[in-house]
């Protein structure tokens, strides 16, 4: 399929521009110019478009040390509000962030599903449910594109885990593909007309996502009649002609890649028609036109909005704090929340405990990382709110891997300012660059001219250490030697067996504790080995990388950092201190969670257990304290072996730059944590309808759960009941439901129900409607939801429309959609708390 037929107006104009380009010029436009920009063409008025990740902030073109930009709450928190208005507001704010940086396309939202809770990248995606995902995505896209910034739905498709993502093959049935994994894309296309999509790294049923004629050409561009552009994920394109013919429109990044001269040759050889190339170019020109990147002759290019809120302005702070708190979920509460220090029942003191209280994790790892203007911790903000009543106590370690040094711990001897000096040398010793970095990190390849591959980097800095034990080490592939005060540490950090993306997204690291004099000078030298994925990747010929595979281009990339910090205190001491603090206070608030080691692109989890000795921490605190509140600082499920011993749990997720503020406001009730869970939380490792993320020896990962994903599978008994259901969340209100009425409308049934807020405070309820189909082989599913703000003691009448796209199933034999008839509508606050049922005719 080349493109939609010629139509009058803009399309004719785009065809005219196309007709002015030679084959070579056209093909040139179809690969990035750099990591995040496209080539322009002055003769036809095409500006060089700029892209940026997405989805929890607009990072800008640099991976490391980029511009200071606003850090948003994780996608799971945005979806957790179950509110289109919130997602739309996020879209609008992201468009403003993009405009400030002159970015045309934001690489988000991520609309892959939470299929198994082990997926490392779930924090970037919305939910286990395709309807909640699709609706949230549509609202986000609407908000963003209204302001002239393109959204990019990613990753098309069946990209629910990270392990071997460049090589694995997601095997799934056509009903699962259509009803689950494509549905969010379909909803965001139909309801918000997203202007671009990104093809995933993985294969789908044996065919690379970038070559998916079935998905890209037949379904997305064909059946849905979608006229947007499909770009590849970065380095995902595996073969030249197959991808061009399979519906991929644009290869990213550039300037090198599997298209270029190879695609020109393929056209000349008759493997790809010029009409196909034209179709891709038309889609590119259309995208440019939509984002103001195509300027008719004689006209001024698009302007960029000025007067945008600064990243740390009061307006942004209010928005980011409110949105974060709104999505947080109270999952259990015997009255300990909201905190009311000073109430008759306690002495008013709060022991705030845990590493995550002091070092609150505000984002996940990988390409979604941004450089925020500030970070706000729970310790700072709860103390700011409650004053001296709060005593803060550190908890046990939460990370296994060393992290880059705090820049404030380093001084560049050349400038005298925080950071380090970096000298890059060629193999013959020629100095290629000498720079000051104001952080402990720098990247090689990705952010600069991709051709420049230094052989050695030398990092120099002076530590702000006191005399004594210091943790010293490095992050990044290569052969390291660290010299400090006459001592030498060395390590060889390889990438063997790793995904090529890990060199950038999750590089190897080492660190050791050594004794140093105060203010020690450190020189770290790293011999960099360009990485050839064919050699390091599992050393396995079965990966069968084609000569033209774009992945080979990743060989030049890497991320490097210096590790330096005061030596950590032993966990035993920290646990004993926490116990003592808990015993002395009226209420203990323990903040636990995961870190970017678990919630990251490029790697999956192996367990849902909290890392380190955090379970022991909660158990010991709960045994010692009069009252224990747990805050979970994780976007995705964790195990809670201590649940019965605590009084309340707030799931705060990854709350962004206003994180500490939002948690403090949610704990005290200044803002209601009105979120509902976006994913079912399993009771134990493995106790979920889908679990494994490791493909078999043929690199196949079977989506054996079919259409019984998440709550659909739990409800059908495919796994033991979850600890907390999808849709669960108590907020601070209490709710009574009246009788339901079902009325048939043109688009499907609508459910009306009275909800009464029987609590003493204004609150927000989210009415959820599920369909249990009459057909026995069809899973229960969410078909509609609607939020209502209800004053204390008041009753609201809420009408929820059931979405017709959930009232159908894919009939494999007939090769088409078939309606679901009859069955029962279930009104529930998560399927563990059903409030009403109504049969359907
Ligand atoms: C990710 C994409 C991202 C791209 C560009 C890839 O590693 O999978 O989601 O947009 O990098 O940074």
């Amino acid at each position: 399929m080349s493109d939609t037929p010629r139509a009058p107006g803009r399309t004719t104009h785009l065809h005219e521009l196309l007709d002015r380009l030679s084959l070579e010029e056209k093909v040139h436009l179809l690969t990035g110019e750099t990591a995040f920009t496209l080539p322009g063409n002055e003769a036809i008025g095409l500006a060089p478009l700029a892209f940026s990740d997405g989805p929890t902030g607009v990072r800008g073109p640099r991976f490391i040390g980029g511009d200071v930009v606003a850090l948003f709450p994780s996608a799971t928190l945005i979806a957790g509000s179950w509110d289109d208005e919130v997602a739309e507001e996020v879209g609008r704010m992201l468009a403003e962030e993009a405009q400030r940086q002159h970015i045309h396309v934001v690489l988000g939202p991520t609309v892959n599903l939470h299929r198994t809770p082990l997926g490392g990248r779930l924090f970037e995606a919305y939910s286990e449910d395709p309807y909640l995902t699709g609706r949230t995505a549509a609202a986000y896209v609407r908000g963003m594109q209204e302001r002239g910034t393109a959204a990019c739905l990613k990753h098309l498709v069946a990209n629910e885990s990270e392990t071997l993502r460049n090589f694995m093959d997601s095997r799934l049935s056509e009903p699962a593909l259509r009803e689950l994994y494509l549905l969010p894309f379909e909803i965001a296309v139909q309801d918000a007309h997203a202007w671009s999509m990104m093809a995933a790294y993985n294969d789908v049923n044996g065919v690379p996502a970038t070559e998916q004629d079935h998905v890209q050409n037949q379904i997305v561009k064909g059946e849905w009649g979608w006229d947007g552009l499909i770009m590849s994920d970065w380095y995902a394109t595996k073969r030249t002609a197959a991808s061009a013919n399979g519906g991929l429109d644009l290869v990213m990044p550039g300037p090198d890649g599997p298209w270029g001269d190879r695609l020109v040759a393929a056209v000349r050889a008759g493997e790809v028609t010029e009409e196909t190339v034209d179709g891709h170019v038309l889609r590119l020109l259309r995208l440019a036109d939509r984002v103001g990147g195509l300027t008719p002759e004689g006209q001024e290019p698009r302007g960029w909005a000025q007067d945008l809120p600064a990243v740390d302005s009061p307006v942004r702070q209010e928005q980011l704090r409110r949105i974060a708190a709104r999505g947080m979920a109270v999952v259990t509460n015997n009255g300990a929340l909201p905190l009311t220090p000073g109430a008759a029942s306690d002495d008013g003191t709060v022991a705030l405990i845990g590493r995550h209280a002091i070092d609150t994790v505000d984002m996940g790892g990988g390409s979604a990382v941004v450089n925020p203007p500030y970070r706000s911790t729970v310790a700072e903000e709860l103390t700011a709110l409650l004053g001296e009543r709060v005593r803060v106590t550190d908890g046990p370690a939460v990370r296994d891997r060393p992290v880059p040094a705090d820049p404030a711990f380093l001084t560049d001897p050349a400038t005298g300012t925080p950071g380090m000096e970096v000298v890059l040398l060629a193999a013959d010793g020629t100095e290629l660059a000498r720079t000051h970095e104001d952080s402990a990190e720098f990247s090689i390849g990705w952010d600069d001219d991709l051709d420049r591959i230094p052989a050695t980097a030398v990092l120099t800095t002076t530590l702000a250490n006191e005399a004594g034990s210091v943790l010293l080490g490095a992050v990044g592939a290569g052969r390291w030697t660290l010299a400090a005060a006459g001592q030498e540490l060395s390590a060889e950090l390889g990438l063997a067996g790793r995904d090529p993306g890990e060199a950038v997204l999750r590089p190897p690291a080492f660190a050791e504790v050594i004794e140093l004099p105060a203010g020690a000078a450190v020189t770290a030298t790293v011999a960099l080995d360009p990485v050839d994925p064919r050699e390091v990747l599992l050393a396995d010929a079965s990966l069968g990388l084609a000569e033209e595979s774009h992945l080979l281009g990743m060989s030049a990339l890497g991320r490097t950092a210096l590790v330096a910090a005061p030596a950590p205190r032993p966990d035993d001491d920290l646990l004993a201190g926490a116990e003592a603090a808990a015993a002395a206070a009226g209420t203990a608030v323990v903040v636990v969670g995961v870190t970017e080691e678990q919630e990251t692109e490029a790697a999956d989890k192996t367990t849902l257990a909290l890392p380190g000795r955090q379970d022991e921490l909660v158990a010991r605190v709960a045994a010692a304290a009069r009252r224990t509140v747990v805050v979970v600082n994780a976007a995705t499920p964790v195990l809670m072996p201590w649940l019965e011993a605590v009084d309340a749990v707030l799931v705060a997720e990854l709350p962004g730059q206003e994180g500490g503020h939002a948690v403090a406001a949610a704990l005290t009730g200044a803002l209601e944590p009105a979120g509902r869970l976006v994913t079912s939380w399993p009771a134990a490792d493995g106790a979920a309808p889908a679990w494994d993320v490791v493909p078999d020896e043929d690199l196949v990962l079977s989506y054996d759960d079919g259409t019984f994903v998440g709550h659909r599978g739990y409800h059908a008994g495919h796994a033991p009941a979850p600890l907390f259901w999808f849709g669960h969340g108590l907020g601070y209100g209490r709710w009574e439901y009246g009788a339901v009425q079902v009325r048939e409308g043109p688009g499907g049934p609508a459910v009306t129900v009275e909800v009464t807020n029987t609590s003493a405070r204004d609150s927000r309820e989210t009415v959820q409607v599920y369909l249990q189909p009459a057909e026995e082989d069809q899973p229960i599913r969410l078909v509609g939801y609607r939020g209502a703000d209800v004053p204390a003691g008041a009753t609201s009448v809420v009408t929820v429309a059931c979405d017709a796209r959930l009232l159908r199933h894919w009939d494999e034999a007939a090769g088409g959609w078939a309606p679901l008839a009859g069955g029962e509508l279930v009104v529930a606050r998560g399927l563990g708390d059903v409030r009403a049922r109504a049969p359907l005719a």
Side-chain angles (χ1 to χ4, degrees):
M1 172 145 327
S2 58
D3 195 55
T4 41
R6 283 174 192 236
R10 286 315 276 175
T11 306
T12 310
H13 171 65
L14 300 182
H15 277 273
E16 281 162 11
L17 296 181
L18 177 74
D19 290 344
R20 284 158 55 186
L21 300 173
S22 68
L23 174 64
E24 284 78 2
E25 286 170 327
K26 288 188 265 193
V27 166
H28 181 65
L29 297 180
L30 298 179
T31 295
E33 180 87 331
T34 68
F36 290 101
T37 58
L38 302 190
N41 183 313
E42 261 184 52
I44 62 164
L46 173 66
L49 300 189
F51 294 2
S52 167
D53 287 301
T56 39
V58 181
R59 186 193 62 234
R62 285 183 69 86
F63 234 95
I64 309 291
D67 289 342
V68 171
V69 302
L71 168 59
F72 286 62
S74 58
T76 46
L77 267 183
I78 292 161
S81 68
W82 292 57
D83 186 348
D84 297 345
E85 274 174 36
V86 165
E88 211 170 310
E89 183 177 3
V90 167
R92 283 196 297 272
M93 290 158 71
L94 287 167
E96 290 176 352
E97 287 286 298
Q99 287 180 31
R100 192 164 35 75
Q101 300 174 75
H102 298 191
I103 302 281
H104 300 89
V105 181
V106 171
L107 304 175
T110 303
V111 298
N112 300 116
L113 299 186
H114 297 187
R115 176 175 167 262
T116 134
L118 291 181
R121 214 175 168 181
L122 306 187
F123 71 94
E124 265 190 70
Y126 293 126
S127 167
E128 70 183 19
D129 181 76
Y131 181 56
L132 179 61
T133 301
R135 245 176 84 173
T136 307
Y140 171 111
V141 170
R142 222 172 9 248
M144 183 178 286
Q145 294 192 167
E146 252 169 27
R147 309 244 159 146
T149 301
C152 178
L153 306 174
K154 66 191 191 181
H155 309 83
L156 188 69
V157 63
N159 178 196
E160 271 67 40
S161 52
E162 296 296 287
T163 307
L164 286 166
R165 64 179 179 169
N166 290 283
F167 310 99
M168 55 86 74
D169 180 15
S170 299
R171 287 276 170 92
L172 69 170
S173 68
E174 193 70 12
L177 179 67
R178 303 266 190 166
E179 294 173 28
L180 271 303
Y181 301 100
L182 280 176
L183 187 59
F185 291 91
E186 186 180 359
I187 293 175
V189 162
Q190 282 179 355
D191 296 0
H193 199 199
W195 290 333
S196 72
M197 295 190 193
M198 187 186 293
Y201 285 117
N202 51 284
D203 293 1
V204 185
N205 291 331
V207 177
T210 49
E211 301 175 10
Q212 270 287 341
D213 181 66
H214 178 54
V215 171
Q216 300 181 137
N217 284 335
Q218 291 174 18
I219 300 177
V220 175
K221 296 182 180 179
E223 289 175 27
W224 300 350
W226 181 70
D227 65 1
L229 169 131
I230 304 181
M231 68 186 77
S232 71
D233 200 341
W234 270 231
Y235 300 99
T237 313
K238 294 178 175 159
R239 294 180 304 162
T240 307
S243 53
N245 289 330
L248 186 74
D249 299 306
L250 172 70
V251 166
M252 287 305 291
D256 302 318
W259 283 12
D261 293 346
R262 283 197 177 97
L263 182 53
V264 172
V267 173
R268 303 235 193 276
E271 294 164 27
V272 177
T273 66
E274 188 155 353
E275 209 192 344
T276 298
V277 171
D278 287 354
H280 301 322
V281 178
L282 274 177
R283 285 172 185 270
L284 176 75
L285 295 178
R286 193 177 295 120
L287 174 68
D289 197 27
R290 286 173 167 157
V291 297
L294 204 52
T295 313
E297 250 166 286
Q299 289 189 19
E300 286 292 308
R302 88 168 266 179
W304 298 93
Q306 302 297 321
D307 298 337
L308 297 165
V311 294
D312 54 357
S313 56
V315 86
R316 275 287 180 268
Q317 292 181 6
E318 186 281 328
Q319 288 175 303
L320 295 171
R321 180 161 66 241
R322 168 171 46 80
I323 289 169
R326 255 297 289 284
M328 293 176 187
V330 179
V331 293
T332 179
N333 186 10
N334 68 6
L337 285 178
L339 296 178
T340 46
S345 57
D346 71 32
D347 69 357
T349 55
V350 174
L352 179 62
I353 297 168
R355 183 65 51 89
H356 283 77
I358 295 166
D359 185 10
T360 306
V361 176
D362 46 18
M363 61 180 156
S367 60
V369 165
V370 303
N371 186 12
Y374 57 87
R375 318 190 89 146
S376 107
T377 70
V378 179
E380 283 159 6
E381 302 303 341
L382 198 66
T383 308
L385 222 55
L386 301 182
E388 330 187 301
R389 283 179 290 207
V390 180
R391 288 266 181 285
V392 180
T393 307
D394 196 5
V398 296
R399 287 182 173 83
D400 275 342
R401 290 154 46 89
V403 295
D406 179 346
F409 198 63
L410 310 178
T411 305
D412 178 342
T415 61
T417 56
M420 58 187 185
E421 186 184 58
V422 177
V423 179
L424 300 179
L425 302 171
D428 63 3
T430 316
E431 188 174 309
L432 299 173
R434 178 178 292 264
T435 52
H436 162 77
E437 298 291 335
D438 54 17
S439 80
E441 285 189 82
F442 73 103
S443 66
I444 296 169
W446 191 283
D447 287 334
D448 0 74
D449 176 355
L450 291 180
D451 296 334
R452 200 189 64 185
I453 309 174
T456 309
V458 183
L459 285 42
T460 318
T461 193
T462 307
L463 306 185
N465 66 306
E466 288 170 13
S469 306
V470 172
L471 183 75
L472 196 63
V475 177
R479 292 186 302 283
W480 286 92
T481 311
L482 272 65
Q487 301 172 68
E488 209 169 86
L489 299 180
S490 58
E492 194 163 336
L493 302 182
L495 288 165
R498 288 162 180 265
D499 179 285
E502 285 193 49
V504 178
L505 301 168
R506 207 170 181 263
F510 86 104
E512 285 175 36
V513 173
I514 59 171
E515 298 302 310
L516 289 178
V522 176
T523 303
T525 306
V526 54
L528 302 154
D529 288 324
V531 181
D532 183 338
R534 281 169 302 195
E535 284 164 22
V536 296
L537 274 165
L538 311 172
D540 183 346
S542 70
L543 294 175
L545 277 182
E547 245 336 286
E548 67 248 53
S549 169
H550 205 177
L551 203 54
L552 299 173
M554 284 206 89
S555 58
L557 304 176
R559 200 172 116 204
T560 305
L562 193 69
V563 174
R569 284 175 60 199
D571 279 352
D572 281 337
D573 294 358
L574 292 161
L575 285 158
E579 214 168 14
T587 302
V589 176
V590 198
V591 190
V592 294
V594 299
T595 71
E596 69 294 334
E597 289 183 10
Q598 287 78 33
E599 294 193 320
T600 183
E601 180 177 343
D604 290 314
K605 292 181 262 187
T606 53
T607 173
L608 303 185
L610 287 169
R613 292 169 69 183
Q614 295 185 88
D615 284 334
E616 182 184 340
L617 171 73
V618 182
R620 285 170 65 172
V621 165
R626 274 177 261 175
R627 191 182 296 105
T628 305
V629 172
V630 178
V631 177
V632 178
N633 185 191
T636 50
V638 302
L639 303 181
M640 300 187 185
W642 32 259
L643 185 63
E644 295 301 321
V646 305
D647 297 280
V649 176
L650 173 73
V651 178
E653 311 213 6
L654 298 175
Q657 74 186 38
E658 277 293 309
H661 237 131
V663 171
L667 286 173
T668 55
L671 293 171
E672 184 183 15
R676 305 293 186 257
L677 294 180
V678 295
T679 281
S680 309
W681 284 44
D685 271 351
W691 185 251
D692 286 335
V693 284
V694 180
D696 67 16
E697 65 274 14
D698 297 321
L699 296 167
V700 169
L701 186 68
S702 287
Y703 281 31
D704 288 333
D705 44 332
T707 58
F708 286 77
V709 173
H711 59 280
R712 300 173 174 214
Y714 287 104
H715 190 261
H718 295 189
L723 193 58
F724 299 113
W725 285 88
F726 165 79
H728 172 70
L730 301 170
Y732 287 152
R734 270 193 315 277
W735 301 95
E736 260 171 26
Y737 278 56
V740 295
Q741 283 181 345
V742 180
R743 251 189 302 271
E744 276 302 328
V751 176
T752 300
V753 63
E754 280 188 359
V755 293
T756 302
N757 176 3
T758 60
S759 77
R761 51 177 292 155
D762 300 352
S763 180
R764 181 178 175 84
E765 175 63 324
T766 300
V767 178
Q768 305 161 32
V769 179
Y770 298 79
L771 168 70
Q772 174 69 69
E775 292 87 342
E776 274 182 8
D777 61 344
Q778 292 297 319
I780 198 165
R781 81 267 323 264
L782 180 75
V783 295
Y785 59 89
R786 184 159 187 177
D789 294 303
V790 188
T795 298
S796 267
V797 180
V798 181
T799 297
V800 182
C802 302
D803 195 298
R805 290 166 293 201
L806 278 297
L807 309 176
R808 60 181 187 174
H809 72 104
W810 186 258
D811 181 338
E812 218 163 357
W817 291 106
L820 292 169
E824 187 180 49
L825 291 175
V826 178
V827 181
R829 309 181 75 242
L831 288 170
D833 182 4
V834 171
R835 293 301 176 99
R837 297 175 187 273
L840 273 180

